[in-house]
Amino acid sequence: MSTALAEAQRAAFMLQLRRRYRDLWMDIRREISRADLETYQDTAGETHDLADEATADLVADLNLADIHRDVVEMREVEAAIHRLMEGRYGACADCGKSIDVARLRANPAAQRCERCQERYEQLHMPTVGPSL
């Protein structure tokens, strides 16, 4: 539980989480600004052949995927900050046992111990197969 973490460790994790939140926020703003400047028309060009349109679609999709990934991580970081403020930081969301400090250092937003995270990923891993 969070009581297993010393005050200095909690303060260091809070600083690390807040910095990561700020960095993600800046990345999202930068991506949105860049997407505003890079209009579909600019990417596809004046003549619309299928290859240019496909490239423009791909670029737009990649930009959106980058923003989505950053937003998801930002929410995870925000949730970790709330757990830290509420005194629940460092406790596994599934089993309640302490999350190893080395794991928290590697991923301060971790909400599960390694064992429960492996189980979670096995249960929630999307199945790969034919898409048609």
Side-chain angles (χ1 to χ4, degrees):
M1 282 242 154
S2 62
T3 55
L5 295 174
E7 186 63 35
Q9 288 175 311
R10 288 197 306 271
F13 283 124
M14 181 62 84
L15 181 63
Q16 187 177 3
L17 287 163
R18 287 189 171 157
R19 283 182 180 159
R20 183 63 184 148
Y21 186 90
R22 183 199 64 220
D23 291 346
L24 288 165
W25 178 249
M26 290 170 55
D27 287 348
I28 291 167
R29 290 183 63 183
R30 190 173 25 256
E31 284 293 325
I32 291 172
S33 294
R34 188 177 65 160
D36 285 346
L37 294 175
E38 263 182 24
T39 64
Y40 183 88
Q41 182 71 26
D42 294 337
T43 306
E46 293 297 321
T47 58
H48 293 288
D49 68 13
L50 292 178
D52 289 341
E53 287 183 20
T55 300
D57 286 341
L58 178 63
V59 169
D61 288 347
L62 289 174
N63 287 340
L64 290 175
D66 285 346
I67 292 169
H68 177 71
R69 181 201 61 230
D70 288 347
V71 167
V72 168
E73 184 180 351
M74 196 169 150
R75 287 178 181 155
E76 292 170 355
V77 168
E78 188 174 32
I81 290 170
H82 286 288
R83 288 192 305 274
L84 192 56
M85 290 170 45
E86 294 171 352
R88 297 181 295 114
Y89 185 78
C92 178
D94 293 346
C95 70
K97 293 181 181 175
S98 293
I99 300 172
D100 188 59
V101 175
R103 176 166 169 70
L104 292 171
R105 283 190 188 116
N107 179 10
Q111 56 183 317
R112 291 177 186 83
C113 66
E114 189 173 345
R115 187 169 153 251
C116 289
Q117 183 64 36
E118 287 174 2
R119 192 172 358 170
Y120 178 85
E121 289 173 3
Q122 289 172 352
L123 292 172
H124 295 88
M125 184 68 94
T127 57
V128 179
S131 61
L132 295 177

